[in-house]
Amino acid sequence: MSPMRRQRSASSRARGLVVDTDTGLLGGASFVPSPNCDDRPAGVVADLVIVHGISLPPGEFGGPWIDRLFTNELSPDAHPYFATVAELRVSSHLLIRRDGELTQYVPFHRRAWHAGASSWQGRERCNDYSIGIELEGTDDTPYASSQYAMLARVIATLCRAYPALTAERVVGHSDVAPGRKTDPGLAFDWPRLRTLVQFELEVTPE
């Protein structure tokens, strides 16, 4: 089966999302497997969520290009910008599109290649112990309400599935790679997200 063929996880619920902790997959997300992942170090579990922003080409939304980047199928000839990134071997665990649609590329128990050279609170190699979530957007374009709502639901679901994760341990790519990365950018409303996550945890408990 082609890695570009989307497969709907069977473990979704009517209201909320749910993680199958055996497979590391999120019910309600389409699964597009990325080869750009590997095992976390022995004994290491995810205890940090890193929020990213991405658009391909820059500033444009929609299309198959993010899927193709994360599955090593991005043609450098499809757009002038793609020649600068087509050879990258990167991935993230999840992507949230502008309309809130979810795509998963890497199971949560595996290490996605999203943070690069990074550290948080003196601990380096954030890929080892984090879950990466991409939002389709740019640093200076307001993110969509549907994205905030879905991101909050996802974070709350992850906190329930993985006890080492908490609502306080959610940061931006710019926080773990300052000076090198700027996403999700000044357009991202952190107070709004944290209020929504708290709502999801308190009002819609497991």
Side-chain angles (χ1 to χ4, degrees), residues 5 15 26 48-50 57-59 63 71 76 87 91 94 96 99 105 113 123 144 163 176 178 180 185 192 198-199:
R5 179 181 175 185
R15 159 65 183 106
L26 180 67
L48 185 71
V49 172
I50 300 177
T71 55
E87 297 303 316
S91 64
L94 289 176
I96 303 177
D99 62 359
Y105 301 97
W113 303 345
R123 188 180 177 191
V176 301
R180 186 176 68 84
R192 179 179 184 179
Q198 199 63 33
F199 173 84

Side-chain angles (χ1 to χ4, degrees), residues 41-96:
V44 173
V45 298
D47 61 13
L48 185 71
V49 172
I50 300 177
V51 179
H52 302 254
I54 188 172
S55 59
L56 285 178
E60 297 184 20
F61 307 135
W65 312 118
I66 298 173
D67 285 357
R68 292 183 182 175
L69 174 66
F70 289 162
T71 55
N72 304 336
E73 295 182 355
L74 185 65
S75 170
D77 301 321
H79 185 279
Y81 177 77
F82 294 168
T84 68
V85 296
E87 297 303 316
L88 295 178
R89 295 295 177 259
V90 292
S91 64
S92 194
H93 290 93
L94 289 176
L95 167 69
I96 303 177

Side-chain angles (χ1 to χ4, degrees), residues 106-185:
V106 176
F108 297 123
H109 61 273
R110 304 207 74 206
R111 177 171 56 188
W113 303 345
H114 59 99
S118 54
S119 66
W120 180 244
Q121 297 181 339
R123 188 180 177 191
E124 297 186 348
R125 298 175 59 88
C126 292
N127 283 344
D128 289 354
Y129 55 93
S130 67
I131 290 173
I133 303 177
E134 300 276 358
L135 300 179
E136 188 177 32
T138 70
D139 286 7
D140 53 7
T141 302
Y143 291 88
S145 294
S146 56
Q147 291 180 293
Y148 285 105
M150 183 58 74
L151 178 59
R153 288 177 60 194
V154 167
I155 291 170
T157 300
L158 290 171
C159 287
R160 294 184 185 111
Y162 300 107
L165 286 173
T166 67
E168 292 72 32
R169 292 188 61 79
V170 180
V171 299
H173 198 186
S174 57
D175 295 315
V176 301
R180 186 176 68 84
K181 294 294 182 178
T182 59
D183 58 308

